[in-house]
């Protein structure tokens, strides 16, 4: 008897039933990177993040990654979301998303999955603002429709005497030497676009997001909310030190008035209405 022959079992035919196929299909998610399912899932992720639903956001990301999606596709979408939907409401969002992308490059999957989850959780919790996104779209549209307006003389480069004789850079006031003043008498946009506005600093979420305060500050912040006084450096509503944050030790640069008292955009010193 050949060595090991006694342990060889005869092959037996087995009927493959419909239920067997269904179980096999369900064990591995059907996912086509170029199909509708791919776009449905990434759309669901974006909308869940925008709506502040952490659980749904993590679920759709997990669906994509477990089905074989390229992790850096997901992190690229998180980077885009951070700039488009969070923006200046919390300037920590973009570094969080970029860090997740770098984590994928540095340690790969599955280890970087938790870094992706952290970034997604932060983005879902963060305050939202589309102000920069809308301003950028407006500026791009204007540049495409009006690409030939002359740059005002006073802010043109004047490296030669001839250019200076032609009034290039004449009348320009160096703002830092003028008390860091904002604007200028002549304005900065082309004359045909005087008074045009792309950025609206009032375009931000006024609700109080549920996070993303560092965990070590949660208890202190909760107590501060009850007492009506936030500890120094902590914003109890979770906006952190963002450009629109309100701090206990006074407003930060870029803080907005409440909706009942919208800020007055006074640019009378640099535009001709």
């Amino acid at each position: 008897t050949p060595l090991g022959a006694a342990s060889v079992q005869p092959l037996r035919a087995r009927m493959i039933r419909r239920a067997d196929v269904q179980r096999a299909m369900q064990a591995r998610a059907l996912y086509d990177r170029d199909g509708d399912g791919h776009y449905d899932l990434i759309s669901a992720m974006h909308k869940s993040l925008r709506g502040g639903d952490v659980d749904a956001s993590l679920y759709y990301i997990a669906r994509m990654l477990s089905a074989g999606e390229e992790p850096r596709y997901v992190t690229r979408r998180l980077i885009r979301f951070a700039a488009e939907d969070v923006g200046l409401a919390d300037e920590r969002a973009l570094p969080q998303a970029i860090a997740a992308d770098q984590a994928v490059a540095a340690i790969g999957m599955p280890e970087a999955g938790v870094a992706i989850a952290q970034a997604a959780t932060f983005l879902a919790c963060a305050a939202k603002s589309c102000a920069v996104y809308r301003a950028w779209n407006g500026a791009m549209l204007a540049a495409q429709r009006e690409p030939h307006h002359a740059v005002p003389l006073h802010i043109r480069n004047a490296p030669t005497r001839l250019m200076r004789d032609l009034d290039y850079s004449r009348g320009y006031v160096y703002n830092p030497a003028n008390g860091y003043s904002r604007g200028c008498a002549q304005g900065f946009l082309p004359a045909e676009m005087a008074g045009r506005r792309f950025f609206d600093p009032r375009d931000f979420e006024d609700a109080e997001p549920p996070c993303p305060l560092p965990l070590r500050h949660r208890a202190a912040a909760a107590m501060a909310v009850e007492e009506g006084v936030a500890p120094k450096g902590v914003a109890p509503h979770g906006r952190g030190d963002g450009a629109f944050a309100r701090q206990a030790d006074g407003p930060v640069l870029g803080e907005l008035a409440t909706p009942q008292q919208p800020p007055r955009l006074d640019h009378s010193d640099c535009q001709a209405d």
Side-chain angles (χ1 to χ4, degrees):
T1 303
L3 182 64
S7 62
V8 175
Q9 299 295 326
L11 296 177
R12 296 180 180 178
R14 181 172 183 268
M15 179 73 70
I16 298 177
R17 304 179 185 279
R18 180 186 297 272
D20 298 325
V21 175
Q22 290 176 338
R23 280 195 298 270
M25 292 175 64
Q26 292 171 357
R28 179 72 174 175
L30 295 177
Y31 190 75
D32 181 359
R33 294 186 188 180
D34 296 320
D36 290 340
H38 165 83
Y39 294 105
D40 287 344
L41 287 173
I42 198 64
S43 175
M45 184 200 78
H46 269 263
K47 291 177 173 64
S48 300
L49 289 169
R50 186 176 293 131
D53 191 323
V54 176
D55 303 295
S57 301
L58 294 179
Y59 170 72
Y60 290 119
I61 291 173
R63 280 270 303 270
M64 287 186 283
L65 294 179
S66 64
E69 180 58 78
E70 168 58 44
R72 297 196 75 179
Y73 171 78
V74 175
T75 55
R76 286 196 300 271
R77 302 314 304 171
L78 294 180
I79 291 171
R80 168 70 185 202
F81 181 89
E84 176 179 334
D85 283 275
V86 178
L88 294 178
D90 194 328
E91 72 275 15
R92 298 171 298 176
L94 189 55
Q96 280 275 346
I98 292 173
D101 185 66
Q102 292 173 337
V104 174
I107 63 175
M109 296 295 288
E111 289 83 356
V114 69
I116 296 174
Q118 175 178 317
T121 300
F122 189 101
L123 296 177
C125 289
K128 307 298 192 291
S129 172
C130 291
V132 173
Y133 171 68
R134 289 171 174 155
W136 175 244
N137 285 344
M140 282 295 294
L141 184 62
Q144 293 165 1
R145 291 179 175 177
E146 307 167 69
H148 303 301
H149 295 322
V151 174
L153 283 172
H154 68 286
I155 56 173
R156 292 189 189 184
N157 187 36
T160 68
R161 181 173 180 176
L162 174 60
M163 290 179 175
R164 290 191 291 272
D165 289 343
L166 293 173
D167 289 339
Y168 280 38
S169 197
R170 181 182 296 277
Y172 171 68
V173 176
Y174 182 59
N175 300 83
N178 193 34
Y180 291 96
S181 60
R182 297 297 180 100
C184 64
Q186 305 97 320
F188 293 109
L189 284 170
E192 298 86 348
M193 299 178 64
R196 191 80 61 88
R197 293 288 177 268
F198 303 119
F199 178 68
D200 182 0
R202 296 165 295 187
D203 182 6
F204 77 104
E205 177 188 13
D206 193 53
E208 297 181 359
C211 36
L213 277 179
L215 292 176
R216 64 181 181 274
H217 290 325
R218 291 282 173 84
M223 183 179 300
V225 171
E226 293 179 2
E227 298 177 355
V229 178
K232 185 178 180 62
V234 176
H237 41 54
R239 289 185 184 172
D241 297 321
F244 297 124
R246 297 175 176 85
Q247 297 291 347
D249 53 350
V252 297
L253 182 63
E255 181 183 14
L256 299 180
T258 61
Q260 291 78 15
Q261 296 178 335
R264 182 172 62 89
L265 304 180
D266 184 3
H267 299 283
S268 57
D269 60 334
C270 66
Q271 72 177 43
D273 292 327

